[in-house]
Amino acid sequence: TAEVVPQAPEDPLFGLMRAFKADQSPDKVDLGIGAYRDNNAKPWVLPVVKKADETLRNDPELNHEYAPIAGLPFFTSKAAELILGGPDSPAIKEKRVTSVQTISGTGAVHLGALFLARYWTGNKKVYISNPTWANHNQIFGNVNVPIASYPYFSKETKGLDFDGMKSAILGAPDRSIILLHACAHNPTGVDPTFEQWKEIAQIMRSKNHFPFFDCAYQGFATGDLMKDNLAVRHFVEQGFELVIAQSFAKNFGLYGERAGCFHAVTGPAPDAESTITRMASQLAILQRSEISNPPLYGARIAGTVMNDPKLFAEWEENLRTMSGRIIDMRKSLRAKLEELGTPGTWNHITDQIGMFSFTGLNEAQVMKIRSDAHVYMTKNGRISMAGLNTGNIDYFAKALDKVVRD
Ligand code: PMP
């Protein structure tokens, strides 16, 4: 059978990382993968993560037994509070939420997709933004949930195509699954305003659509964890039944530790608690057959921080350091391009939020800036703002200016 297995293409993002590593130029700039870098272009272990790690190491009771199937409760309960807005969330108070620890955000999207593939009785099709995180296609494809897309990004304004988005959501058959990025949209860096979220919720309510929130960047949009969950909170307040995939990769810098959580929320109903109990039982079976038990380390770190008010405050400070540096880079890049008189408008660099910016470069320009200036970004012109620092931003602005003029 081996000969029937065709060669698959390399994952584009990880291929880009490999090409960057192989590049010998001292000037090379990595704007590919969405991982935070400090001003020296180095990965940053959050000081609060170091503290939590030390606490864990010094705990003589700590062992390496299996976690429960649904993960560590001290982590999943705080993860739910973080995305739902605290213990006063109506979903938490009314026991209408169940949470399962997953293999980071990817595992949470997968578990949600698998669950809906089994149990969603509406239109079994997921609508994803165009563009979106490339893995969404593969994950839903793997569980045979067909995919359609809704317009999201306007090439003209380099902002939200709100009319296009609304009419596609309105045009989708009743009870479709709509995948929404909770905040800091990947790859565009463009989010709806709160007023726009309210309109989206209204349209989705009128169509009885099912919201599937993917939240990989809480804390990176506004720098405030409790502001970055406003869209999710609004939908919950409106009584939607919904699911959430939550990643702690970026906001804790725990990329490789795979700390994440899947949450299912049912609507307010007299039997909501028993519905959630049944859902939890099925999620446990799916989890058992796929990973048995989730990994401990990342959840222990995140759980330790989220359960301790002092460490939590320090985490918020660390998040402000990361989001603040990214905002500085946005301001600086825009100013430099405007100073150089680079053709085009560059306000989108500071208007866009989160970790990424959609520069507007086309694929030919992306390939040219790579071969001419050793600057690495994804083919769609997305740059990870965290790859910029005071040491390379001048060089990058000039390279960008040149490729736009060429
Ligand atoms: N969703 C989106 C939109 C993302 O950008 C990411 C990270 N690139 C993820 C989910 C999941 O990432 P991870 O599995 O590393 O948590």
Side-chain angles (χ1 to χ4, degrees), residues 67 132 193 337 360:
T132 190
T193 63
L337 292 171

Side-chain angles (χ1 to χ4, degrees), residues 13 34 103-107 109 132-133 136 181 184-186 214-217 246-250 255 258-260 356 382:
L13 198 56
I103 307 287
S104 210
T106 305
V109 177
T132 190
W133 181 47
H136 283 147
H181 295 225
H185 184 270
N186 176 11
D214 186 4
C215 185
Y217 300 93
Q246 182 183 34
S247 169
F248 289 95
K250 324 273 165 170
Y255 308 93
R258 317 309 290 141
F356 301 110
R382 183 194 82 170

Side-chain angles (χ1 to χ4, degrees), residues 73-89 92 97 99 182-183 215-220 223-234 236 244-252 254 259-261 263 302-303 305-308 311-313 315-316 319:
F74 96 122
F75 164 75
T76 55
S77 59
K78 288 292 166 184
E81 287 181 15
L82 190 78
I83 187 64
L84 296 171
D88 289 335
S89 158
I92 294 178
V97 53
S99 306
C183 67
C215 185
Y217 300 93
Q218 192 175 356
F220 272 95
D224 182 336
L225 289 160
M226 287 302 144
K227 279 192 185 143
D228 285 355
N229 61 13
L230 280 175
V232 173
R233 278 157 66 181
H234 179 70
V236 170
I244 305 156
Q246 182 183 34
S247 169
F248 289 95
K250 324 273 165 170
N251 54 16
F252 268 111
L254 285 170
C261 207
H263 309 279
V305 173
M306 290 192 291
N307 278 279
D308 178 324
L311 291 179
F312 194 97
W315 178 35
E316 290 180 298
L319 271 167

Side-chain angles (χ1 to χ4, degrees), residues 303-334:
T304 300
V305 173
M306 290 192 291
N307 278 279
D308 178 324
K310 261 178 84 179
L311 291 179
F312 194 97
E314 198 177 326
W315 178 35
E316 290 180 298
E317 189 55 42
N318 292 172
L319 271 167
R320 281 192 290 273
T321 299
M322 292 193 284
S323 58
R325 197 184 82 71
I326 290 175
I327 289 169
D328 286 348
M329 287 301 112
R330 287 187 185 281
K331 287 188 189 146
S332 173
L333 179 60
R334 177 180 171 184

Side-chain angles (χ1 to χ4, degrees), residues 8-61:
E10 183 174 32
D11 181 87
L13 198 56
F14 284 82
L16 188 69
M17 254 169 86
R18 207 173 42 77
F20 175 78
K21 275 200 184 127
D23 190 327
Q24 296 299 318
S25 166
D27 298 328
K28 65 181 181 175
V29 180
D30 181 11
L31 306 178
I33 201 137
Y36 183 77
R37 298 288 176 254
D38 66 12
N39 197 45
N40 299 313
K42 292 277 182 292
W44 195 53
V45 181
L46 272 58
V48 74
V49 166
K50 279 195 182 150
K51 266 194 195 163
D53 179 67
E54 234 165 84
T55 311
L56 289 171
R57 266 175 221 281
N58 292 329
D59 179 355
E61 295 294 311

